[in-house]
Amino acid sequence: VGELTLLHQAIRLYGEKSYAEAIPLLRELLRKEPGMTDAWTQLSNTFHKLGRTEDSLEALKQADRWKPGDPVTLASMANEYFDLGDFAQAKLFAQRSIAVSGPAESHEVLAAVLMHEKDLDGAEKEAREALERGHMGHVKPEILLAQVRKARGDLAGARQRFQEVLA
């Protein structure tokens, strides 16, 4: 079976939420073509869906090894580090992604880290940046903005923002 066929089969299984079935196909593909970064990224996404955060991060590290500095890979690494509770690494990789024009998710992760660090101004700035860069309609930046309002003592403003998100 050709490499692209394996990748397409794995993506189809992923789309069908058959994550565990996709993993052996991706592993076989990566044995044949270890430099195929799309396959490493797909493996990472698959592990992420299964809640296997550390495995997801390892796959992302391989993608970064073959294609260093990819902004989407860096943003995904930031997200995985955040999920692992390693806020320093999450911040570092979010900043690295942003430095190379990373996606809105980089700003979202950085906002969450800054909120964790109690840097309300920074968290608000990054959450707004995530929304401005096309993360409109995504709930997390909106929730972060509501949390900033709550942390500042603006309970009515926080409640209003939450109600807008839920509407």
Side-chain angles (χ1 to χ4, degrees), residues 145-167:
L145 290 171
Q147 289 174 330
V148 167
R149 285 185 175 184
K150 180 182 175 199
R152 289 183 172 146
D154 180 8
L155 297 181
R159 185 175 29 256
Q160 178 185 350
R161 190 118 205 165
F162 277 125
Q163 289 171 344
E164 290 170 5
V165 168
L166 297 174

Side-chain angles (χ1 to χ4, degrees), residues 43-55:
L43 183 60
S44 170
N45 292 339
T46 305
F47 282 137
H48 182 84
K49 288 292 188 178
L50 291 170
R52 293 172 58 180
T53 307
E54 291 174 358
D55 291 327

Side-chain angles (χ1 to χ4, degrees), residues 89-145:
Q89 286 295 94
K91 185 176 187 177
L92 175 67
F93 280 91
Q95 290 170 329
R96 285 181 178 175
S97 179
I98 290 166
V100 291
S101 302
E105 290 84 354
S106 304
H107 294 278
E108 181 180 292
V109 173
L110 185 54
V113 170
L114 294 172
M115 188 69 199
H116 175 77
E117 293 176 347
K118 308 286 191 241
D119 178 353
L120 302 180
D121 291 338
E124 180 178 24
K125 175 186 172 286
E126 294 301 327
R128 289 190 187 287
E129 190 69 30
L131 291 172
E132 288 175 21
R133 290 182 175 263
H135 231 45
M136 300 299 274
H138 282 242
V139 174
K140 191 170 181 179
E142 295 286 357
I143 289 174
L144 285 164
L145 290 171

Side-chain angles (χ1 to χ4, degrees), residues 42 60 72-73 77 91 99 108 119 144 156:
Q42 188 63 43
L60 288 168
V72 175
T73 300
M77 291 174 80
K91 185 176 187 177
E108 181 180 292
D119 178 353
L144 285 164

